[in-house]
Amino acid sequence: MGKGAALSDGVAKKIVLSYAYVLLWIFLSFTVIVYNKFILDRKLYDWPFPISLTMLHMAFCSSLAFLLVRVARVVDLPAAPLSRRVYLTSVLPIGALYALSLCSSNSAYIYLSVSFIQMLKALMPVAVYAIGILFNKDPYRPSTMANMLSISIGVAIAAYGEAKFDSRGVFLQLMAVAFEATRLVLIQILLTSKGINLNPITSLYYIAPTCLIFLSIPWIFVEFPVLRAKSNLRFDFAVFGSNSLCAFALNLAVFLLVGKTSALTMNVAGVVKDWLLIAFSWSVIKDTVTAVNLAGYGLAFVGVAYYNHSKLQDLKAREAQKKAQQGDGERRMPLREGEVAGDGDGLGKKKGDDARA
């Protein structure tokens, strides 16, 4: 009785912690998105410099990641250090894509509402699947492609019903989705396939400095001249410091959520977060959300939910197959001392039988 109670307590604790990690990630992701919108929007804080904001995030994350890895040693680096060749051929391309993804995504907040951006982000599974096929990482399946088509149609309907449609913002957000999807696929091809598994902190340790360098190139030509020309420009350390801290905390939350649950759990939680952001954008920020918007996103939402369900079923099937293989291995018990294998007719002989014959 006591053992069963202890077991149920342990299960209950694990469930409570899992929900806590999910809620923490949703809260921080929600906060970073709304905070970025607040800073970049010309009608709110009016600091429309997305490259500069992303560079601040990367500089802050690089510094804290260095402290956690090298000074505090809270997180361990991979057992085998990354060689120069791996860094140049794997980390640099991923860092460049990360810079392009973040910069494009933050730039979209200048032109589009938070709610519409979340609707466009529903295209992420479509982009990941298409790029996975392009790189021969995922097999082509007609059923999956039909599901991807339904998501795309839903997003197209949502875009058609958008009250404040801006082609520049849509282009930037679609580019952000494409860059991020390519980055996720390349992580599997260039790092995971080589046995290099990086958690969010070690990823920041390696990739954030690279991302910062790549961002500095367009920043020098695009935003730096404008910033230098502004005589009334002020840098609010409280606003930008807390914003950067939230961005870093979000990466820690990803580490906890994926490490203690799964990446699939984060995808499902992301769907909940998107609906919350749409509701917040409509009720608090007073963004216009039309019935056509909701109908289109509803269709895309069903497609994304089905995609997550299919991934869950595939995961369960692989786990069942793995357990079956382990069971087969356990049934093939090793021979006891004093026995030899049979000669094919199911009969074996003990050591010494030949000597006694």
Side-chain angles (χ1 to χ4, degrees):
M1 187 77 176
K3 185 178 179 180
L7 181 62
S8 61
D9 288 345
V11 172
K13 183 178 179 181
K14 186 177 291 187
I15 293 172
V16 170
L17 284 175
S18 297
Y19 276 109
Y21 295 139
V22 168
L23 291 174
L24 177 63
W25 178 80
I26 289 176
F27 171 76
L28 287 171
S29 181
F30 186 100
T31 302
V32 169
I33 289 171
V34 173
Y35 210 161
N36 287 350
K37 172 66 175 177
F38 167 75
I39 291 173
L40 295 167
D41 198 308
R42 297 181 188 276
K43 297 178 182 178
L44 299 173
Y45 190 77
D46 191 23
W47 204 78
F49 302 105
I51 302 175
S52 300
L53 183 64
T54 309
M55 288 179 68
L56 286 172
H57 290 174
M58 290 300 101
F60 190 86
C61 290
S62 298
S63 303
L64 279 187
F66 179 84
L67 290 174
L68 288 175
V69 172
R70 289 296 186 182
V71 180
R73 300 190 181 276
V74 175
V75 181
D76 294 327
L77 290 173
L82 299 186
S83 64
R84 178 177 296 180
R85 182 176 178 276
V86 170
Y87 193 88
L88 292 176
T89 59
S90 300
V91 175
L92 280 183
I94 292 171
L97 288 168
Y98 194 40
L100 291 168
S101 172
L102 289 174
C103 185
S104 301
S105 181
N106 283 336
S107 299
Y109 285 108
I110 299 174
Y111 306 102
L112 301 177
S113 65
V114 171
S115 57
F116 187 43
I117 286 176
Q118 303 317 304
M119 295 177 189
L120 292 175
K121 284 182 179 180
L123 287 171
M124 184 60 73
V126 180
V128 170
Y129 183 65
I131 293 170
I133 293 175
L134 186 64
F135 284 96
N136 293 320
K137 190 66 182 174
D138 290 319
Y140 173 81
R141 295 176 182 171
S143 60
T144 305
M145 185 55 72
N147 185 31
M148 298 298 109
L149 182 62
S150 70
I151 296 173
S152 302
I153 292 173
V155 173
I157 293 172
Y160 176 77
E162 174 59 21
K164 297 179 181 178
F165 185 92
D166 190 299
S167 57
R168 292 169 297 178
V170 172
F171 174 77
L172 287 167
Q173 186 55 48
L174 292 180
M175 287 297 97
V177 169
F179 291 137
E180 180 64 11
T182 307
R183 184 183 77 90
L184 293 174
V185 174
L186 286 185
I187 284 174
Q188 292 181 323
I189 295 173
L190 299 178
L191 295 180
T192 307
S193 63
K194 298 175 183 178
I196 303 170
N197 294 309
L198 302 177
N199 60 51
I201 305 304
T202 51
S203 294
L204 286 175
Y205 175 80
Y206 284 115
I207 294 173
T210 305
C211 185
L212 182 61
I213 293 170
F214 278 112
L215 286 168
S216 65
I217 298 171
W219 178 79
I220 291 172
F221 299 101
V222 177
E223 292 187 0
F224 177 67
V226 180
L227 289 168
R228 188 172 57 179
K230 281 185 172 289
S231 58
N232 61 340
L233 186 68
R234 57 187 177 84
F235 187 86
D236 193 326
F237 285 94
V239 170
F240 293 106
S242 58
N243 178 250
S244 299
L245 184 62
C246 287
F248 184 79
L250 178 59
N251 282 278
L252 286 177
V254 171
F255 174 62
L256 286 172
L257 183 59
V258 177
K260 301 299 182 180
T261 57
S262 67
L264 185 62
T265 302
M266 191 174 76
N267 288 339
V268 175
V271 174
V272 177
K273 178 208 69 179
D274 290 342
W275 278 110
L276 290 173
L277 279 166
I278 291 171
F280 180 86
S281 177
W282 171 74
S283 61
V284 178
I285 304 178
K286 302 302 180 183
D287 287 332
T288 303
V289 179
T290 66
V292 179
N293 271 148
L294 293 177
Y297 185 66
L299 177 60
F301 166 74
V302 171
V304 172
Y306 180 76
Y307 172 78
N308 287 332
H309 173 74
S310 300
K311 296 288 283 185
L312 179 61
Q313 296 304 312
D314 290 343
L315 184 62
K316 286 182 177 179
R318 286 197 296 269
E319 288 180 351
Q321 185 179 11
K322 186 177 179 181
K323 288 180 180 178
Q325 291 173 348
Q326 290 175 347
D328 290 341
E330 289 174 359
R331 280 193 291 272
R332 298 191 189 100
M333 297 296 293
L335 295 170
R336 293 192 300 270
E337 186 179 355
E339 293 183 348
V340 294
D343 56 5
D345 60 357
L347 300 174
K349 295 181 181 180
K350 289 185 180 180
K351 284 173 117 178
D353 282 353
D354 289 339
R356 287 194 296 270

